[in-house]
Amino acid sequence: MSATVKPYSAAVGLPKKTRSICPECGKLLEANVFEKDGKVYMEKDCPEHGHFCDLYWSDAKKYLQAEKYAKDGTGLRNPMDKSLKDGENVHIVIDGERIDMMSPTALANIDLTNRCNMKCPICFANANDAGYVYEPDFETVCKMLDALRSEEPIKCTAVQFSGGEPTVYPRLVDVIKAAKERGFAQVQIATNGIEFCNHYDKLKACAQAGLNTIYLQFDGLNDDIYRRSRGRWMMKVKEGVIANCMKLREETGHSPSIVLVVTTVRGLNDDEIGDILKFAIKHREVVRGVNYQPVAFTGRVTHEEVDKGRITLTDVAKAINDETGFTTMDDWYPVPTVAGISNYASIILGQNKITFPTHPHCGLATYLFIDDKDNVMPMPRMIDVDRFVKGMDEISHKAETAAFKKLTVLKVRKLLLNCINEAGLPEGMTKNDLINALVSIMSKKSKAALAKFSWGAMYVGAMHFQDSYNYDVERVRRCSIHYVTPDCKIIPFCAYNSGIEMRVETEKKFSVPLAEWKEKHKEEAKQLAEALIVPKDPDEAPAENKE
């Protein structure tokens, strides 16, 4: 197989031009991205709606550093999308212009329903507000899964069932099984946690069906935040999910891992960013990561509201640095930093492996090692990342034309040994220990590899989904988180939920009126109505850990 990445083709440096859209009418506009007072801004002018200027990144230095790791993918084809010609690349249309997708689907979202047992102020989808129910049947979901596994040149290996609230989907366990039967290595559920808190048996059934990860909505550590963001108390629910996963692990020896997903809003929960990470570390037996998602402004909002609530990726990283002391800005890297590793694996194995040529300004992440005394060491301090990334690219380039490609593995090991900062290794960890941990970190053996020297691991990342104010078409092209629709179309996340908002178009096409659904599903409608009744305070919570 050939390489799965190629040189980055978008503009770099500051200032630069890109294309964005008007927040009012959606028209494609030329945008200027520029530095001012150490920050990065995007500005654009619509002939009809005037001037717009929005903060893009709060740290211009980090913005420019991120571009050093940028790579492009080799395109995306979807044989099951009947609207595409044979071999045609997956694309969307914005303001009449075709936008081709360049990155493979690293993670696919399948919305199982737009029904929900909550009614949150900050939400992409809600049947009660929409007036219709979008809920693909089991056979349609299986077809959507088949489309993802048919993608070329790299098949999708990770799927997340989302919504609405996916745990209210009537055949949830069956779709998890179906995903596993089709060879998905990662099966995830994005959930508010109510069902998994109150119904241990449902959690257990999902785990036994093959659920790998629970993406748990987690906005903060106190109910004042949840009352503002979700309209009800929720902290006991979050703790209940963690407790049930611990119980499941003790009972069966295995539990899905939990990733805390934090919708981050300035003035709402930005003062708890560091404490949330500390909470995750405290519960790391089942909590394996934290993913901060700075809020995207959808719908009608004023310039003042955007300015007041906007929080950027580097704001999140700085808050973690300042509030925990675990990291510095040098410990944070963009997603495509790891693309070279997958590219190399694809070349030497003769098999296209999932690769992450995501746009360098979509996210930042780091990886923490933690000992049994809660000492924390960021992995980037153990390795010369720049030297390793450059070395991997050079080895991969030579491996493409090498007669005996697998012999280059020895070069990779030598490179890694030379890039390890031995003085920065935690107590009791050798160079070989670290190499073994890195090799297995993405496999089921990672926990055992780390346990050998009593260190745990925690992924910490931030992904900033776009809205109409900071929309960058170059980011849309390189999006690697995609939705698949009932007619098997692949749509990038930021085009589905914001900007041109293809979610509404898709849901209306495959939905039934809410009143009609309620008439056909009277018992489910009754249960859903009861679930939407908000308890007055946490003491009125339904019993947790219900068998």
Side-chain angles (χ1 to χ4, degrees), residues 54-67:
D54 187 49
L55 178 65
Y56 197 1
W57 276 44
S58 60
D59 186 330
K61 179 181 176 182
K62 200 66 183 177
Y63 178 95
L64 293 169
Q65 285 179 344
E67 292 181 337

Side-chain angles (χ1 to χ4, degrees), residues 389-516:
V389 169
K390 182 180 179 181
M392 281 298 300
D393 287 344
E394 292 172 353
I395 292 172
S396 296
H397 181 69
K398 292 178 181 177
E400 275 195 273
T401 56
F404 301 100
K405 301 181 189 301
K406 291 189 178 181
L407 292 179
T408 59
V409 171
L410 297 174
K411 293 183 179 179
V412 173
R413 186 177 181 85
K414 182 179 179 181
L415 171 67
L416 190 51
L417 281 169
N418 290 336
C419 291
I420 292 176
N421 174 22
E422 198 161 11
L425 295 181
E427 184 179 351
M429 184 187 288
T430 66
K431 283 188 174 184
N432 282 329
D433 287 333
L434 179 59
I435 290 174
N436 291 335
L438 294 175
V439 168
S440 60
I441 204 76
M442 299 302 291
S443 75
K444 293 180 180 179
K445 299 178 182 179
S446 60
K447 186 181 174 185
L450 292 171
K452 179 181 177 182
F453 41 84
S454 302
W455 282 74
M458 180 73 60
Y459 166 84
V460 189
M463 180 67 72
H464 196 174
F465 297 115
Q466 300 186 101
D467 53 49
S468 297
Y469 295 89
N470 58 19
Y471 210 79
D472 188 339
V473 170
E474 297 302 332
R475 279 190 57 185
V476 177
R477 289 188 189 280
R478 294 163 178 81
C479 178
S480 60
I481 301 178
H482 301 154
Y483 279 83
V484 58
T485 65
D487 53 353
C488 296
K489 295 184 184 300
I490 303 298
I491 301 173
F493 189 103
C494 290
Y496 197 75
N497 289 314
S498 64
I500 57 177
E501 294 187 40
M502 298 178 76
R503 169 186 289 279
V504 175
E505 176 188 333
T506 300
E507 289 184 345
K508 285 185 175 180
K509 185 177 179 180
F510 299 99
S511 65
V512 297
L514 181 60
E516 180 183 328

